[in-house]
Amino acid sequence: MTDVAISASESPIYMDHAATTRVREEVLSAMLPYFSGAFGNPSSLYTVAQEARKAVDGSRETVARCLGARMSEIVFTSGGTESDNAALKGVAFAMRNVGKHVITTAVEHHAVLHACHQLEQFGFDVTYLPVDEYGLVDPDDVGRAITDQTILVSVMLANNEIGTIEPIPDIAKTVKSEAARRGQGITMHTDAVQGAAFLDLDVGALGVDMLSLSAHKFYGPKGVGALYLKRGTPFEPLQMGGGQERQRRSGTENVPGIVGMAEALRLAAEEKESESRRTAGLRDRIAAGIRESIEDVCFNGHPTERLPNNVNVSFEGVEGEPVLLGLDFAGICASSGSACSSASLEPSHVLLAIGRSADTAQGSLRITLGRDNTDEDVSRLLSTLPTIVGKLRAMPSLSAAGGTQ
């Protein structure tokens, strides 16, 4: 397909940080003692176990401080998927005798969408709000969708595919105002998994009752996350057992993971402003370079209200998968959309929701930058990508060559 290949002197370039991030050295160092020396079960009483309990409590305090929350409002989970499922189902089942209407959007992560589909099977009514051409949700649309049966609203903080940042404070204000006017309780949840490394997570400023996080999106370990659960929020736990996490999520705590998550979140909070500025500069250079060197491209997501590390672009007449293979052959890791559905042949539900055709959606490329990316990385991407797209566009289609469709 292409003769663009990585040379022996060039190291691979990782530009898929929305999928996952490497564990920082500082984070790994903080975790290591809890794999061996302080390996105890935090629920036990002896000294080794209490060392682990102290680590969990200290980590909970760190996460709470980063979110502007109380320690008691932090529930540790196995990651963003569990946090989203626990948030939606936990509130829905707790409130099912009050109302059975849930509001979300058409561009949510599948952890939210599939949880909503499951709630529908249990008799709940779910409204999937549309978005505009940039992927933005209109707070007024949220307000108009509320009924006397509404118990829960879930809108993501930043989109994992196109990077658009949603107006969560405005949406939350609309929800709470409408709930007060109607005299009913409506819980506001946001999936903040993609925004943790770059955006303000203060739950008071956001106006949310629940917020989901996943450590591996901000240089922490995989398999650990957190759910902010505001005090007083109705909640029915999904996971039953020993009653850990104040009866909200049973199961022996993943102590090394929890410690790593807290350290990663602390570091992300400290470096958020400087890293956002640096990464946004690289992002804007990539976007400008693609515009200058490749014709018939379409950028996806909001032009300004977007994550500083995200570039999502569609190439007319080219499918995303061969572009990714060409980049991989050249030593550059990127994505065509959500990592959780990268094996699917279906076009992105997010791109379809913002009005892209199925063909255009199939030709998308998601580049997401991180701490280790440099100007040299960007130069290599911009010298490689036009060649790949050009060669693919020059290839005859299967139908033109007499193949099957």
Side-chain angles (χ1 to χ4, degrees), residues 16-330:
D16 196 19
H17 291 82
T20 195
T21 58
R22 68 171 181 84
V23 176
R24 292 181 61 159
E25 292 296 330
E26 306 97 314
V27 172
L28 180 58
S29 295
M31 295 172 63
L32 286 176
Y34 301 97
F35 285 109
S36 53
F39 64 88
N41 186 322
S43 296
S44 299
L45 295 177
Y46 38 80
T47 301
V48 171
Q50 287 308 297
E51 289 179 13
R53 168 53 56 194
K54 183 179 178 180
V56 171
D57 291 343
S59 298
R60 197 184 311 277
E61 182 179 10
T62 297
V63 173
R65 185 169 59 250
C66 291
L67 301 185
R70 298 179 178 91
M71 284 180 61
S72 60
E73 296 173 323
I74 304 303
V75 181
F76 289 117
T77 69
S78 64
T81 294
E82 184 188 341
S83 293
D84 284 342
N85 273 260
L88 271 65
K89 298 176 194 175
V91 169
F93 293 150
M95 295 290 287
R96 61 188 177 276
N97 292 328
V98 176
K100 289 192 173 183
H101 181 228
V102 176
I103 298 172
T104 189
T105 82
V107 295
E108 298 298 308
H109 189 277
H110 283 119
V112 168
L113 292 178
H114 290 172
C116 286
H117 296 162
Q118 189 175 37
L119 286 174
E120 289 178 299
Q121 296 175 10
F122 282 96
F124 288 85
D125 179 28
V126 181
T127 297
Y128 301 91
L129 293 174
V131 294
D132 67 12
E133 61 183 307
Y134 302 121
L136 279 175
V137 180
D138 186 342
D140 290 338
D141 286 347
V142 179
R144 284 188 288 266
I146 292 174
T147 74
D148 59 2
Q149 286 288 302
T150 304
I151 55 173
L152 173 65
V153 175
S154 180
V155 180
M156 68 197 326
L157 179 59
N159 190 270
N160 54 301
E161 292 193 33
I162 60 176
T164 295
I165 300 170
E166 301 293 350
I168 296 300
D170 293 337
I171 293 171
K173 188 179 299 183
T174 298
V175 170
K176 297 306 178 182
S177 176
E178 186 64 18
R181 186 184 73 82
R182 292 171 172 270
Q184 65 194 72
I186 303 176
T187 301
M188 179 72 201
H189 167 254
T190 190
D191 176 346
V193 166
Q194 286 296 330
F198 300 105
L199 304 179
D200 183 7
L201 298 181
D202 186 280
V203 292
L206 291 171
V208 298
D209 304 301
M210 298 187 294
L211 180 147
S212 301
L213 293 175
S214 189
H216 76 106
K217 304 296 187 178
F218 47 90
Y219 306 96
K222 298 175 182 65
V224 62
L227 172 65
Y228 160 71
L229 184 63
K230 186 177 181 179
R231 186 168 64 179
T233 300
F235 183 79
E236 186 171 307
L238 305 187
Q239 195 158 300
M240 310 303 292
Q244 290 87 350
E245 297 299 297
R246 294 175 178 257
Q247 306 291 329
R248 298 167 300 188
R249 197 271 187 183
S250 292
T252 301
E253 296 91 340
N254 173 7
V255 180
I258 289 169
V259 169
M261 177 179 186
E263 179 66 4
L265 189 62
R266 182 188 70 80
L267 291 168
E270 289 180 355
E271 300 170 0
K272 192 169 296 181
E273 291 186 11
S274 60
E275 187 61 17
S276 292
R277 286 193 300 270
R278 188 191 73 84
T279 309
L282 298 178
R283 174 202 67 189
D284 293 345
R285 187 180 160 212
I286 290 173
I290 290 174
R291 285 191 182 95
E292 293 170 2
S293 60
I294 304 176
E295 296 181 347
D296 298 322
V297 299
C298 176
F299 286 88
N300 304 307
H302 199 281
T304 57
E305 297 301 314
R306 65 182 302 108
L307 291 172
N309 74 327
N310 178 291
V311 177
N312 189 299
V313 60
S314 297
F315 304 100
E316 294 297 333
V318 176
E319 292 188 1
E321 184 176 354
V323 174
L324 292 180
L325 293 174
L327 288 173
D328 185 47
F329 189 62

